[in-house]
Amino acid sequence: MRYLTFALAKGRLAKKTLAYLEEVGITCEEMKTDTRKLIFVNEELKLKFFLAKASDVPTYVEYGAADIGVVGKDTILEERKNLYEVFDLKLGVCDMVVAGPESTRDQLLHSSSIRVATKYPNIAKDYFYNKKNQKVEIIKLNGSIELAPLVGLSEVIVDIVETGATLKENGLVVLEKICPLSARVVVNRVSMKMENQRINRIIDGLRDIIQ
């Protein structure tokens, strides 16, 4: 039997995913130890696990370095990789939104000279160019996106909002909702054919505990 390999996005999502997997009988004691190892193995179940930067998880899955990945819907939409999105874990529930000062609401509706700052240029382009048929200038940033409208870099931002507290503290509001987000299980297309039974057994187990 070949190993099935999981790629998990580092941080809280990996910890919560591992807790779910334990509930369906999939454990990896190695991951609980203080170690510098990069790949963790459950020999009995023939499973391997590794942690990766969230934006890299879809790449590992697309190219078959991982059979199964767990990552946020925002990353799936932004990275646009060729894989199966098979299940919503309902973790990290939030929204992708357009936000800015209340004063930009009319401008957002009627002006084409809008600048949009975001960590997610592909999501922003798809929303404005394809869904709204609106021409805007998209500015890619990596740090605190909320800063952009405050210093005049952009009129609005496209970003993830969970509670809205950071927006409120900085005088910004949600102007438009783009889509809901949460953690998703993704599967390599070839793996889904070759290891269909094993993979579906895991997915069915997760579905049972979440529903």
Side-chain angles (χ1 to χ4, degrees), residues 91-147:
L91 292 172
V93 176
C94 49
D95 291 302
M96 185 70 73
V97 304
V98 180
E102 180 63 47
S103 59
T104 60
R105 192 179 291 276
D106 283 344
Q107 199 178 353
L108 182 61
L109 289 173
H110 303 118
S111 174
S112 61
S113 59
I114 289 268
R115 289 172 300 177
V116 181
T118 185
K119 291 178 186 175
Y120 305 95
N122 286 329
I123 293 173
K125 284 174 189 172
D126 182 61
Y127 179 68
F128 282 101
Y129 299 170
N130 299 331
K131 293 188 173 68
K132 292 191 70 184
N133 292 315
Q134 183 176 2
K135 285 187 177 181
V136 297
E137 182 182 353
I138 292 169
I139 302 168
K140 171 81 160 66
L141 288 179
N142 298 300
S144 299
I145 305 300
E146 294 86 1
L147 185 61

Side-chain angles (χ1 to χ4, degrees), residues 59-86:
T59 303
Y60 282 115
V61 174
E62 181 187 45
Y63 284 92
D67 301 286
I68 302 168
V70 176
V71 72
K73 178 68 172 177
D74 54 304
T75 306
I76 296 168
L77 291 171
E78 184 62 25
E79 297 301 319
R80 297 177 171 182
K81 299 299 181 185
N82 186 21
L83 39 72
Y84 288 126
E85 180 188 324
V86 295

Side-chain angles (χ1 to χ4, degrees), residues 173-184:
V173 295
V174 173
L175 300 168
E176 295 173 358
K177 284 192 178 181
I178 297 176
C179 62
L181 303 171
S182 56
R184 310 296 167 95

Side-chain angles (χ1 to χ4, degrees), residues 178-198:
I178 297 176
C179 62
L181 303 171
S182 56
R184 310 296 167 95
V185 179
V186 294
V187 178
N188 173 270
R189 287 180 173 270
V190 175
S191 300
M192 187 57 111
K193 290 175 184 170
M194 304 293 288
E195 298 287 349
N196 187 272
Q197 280 189 311
R198 289 175 75 195

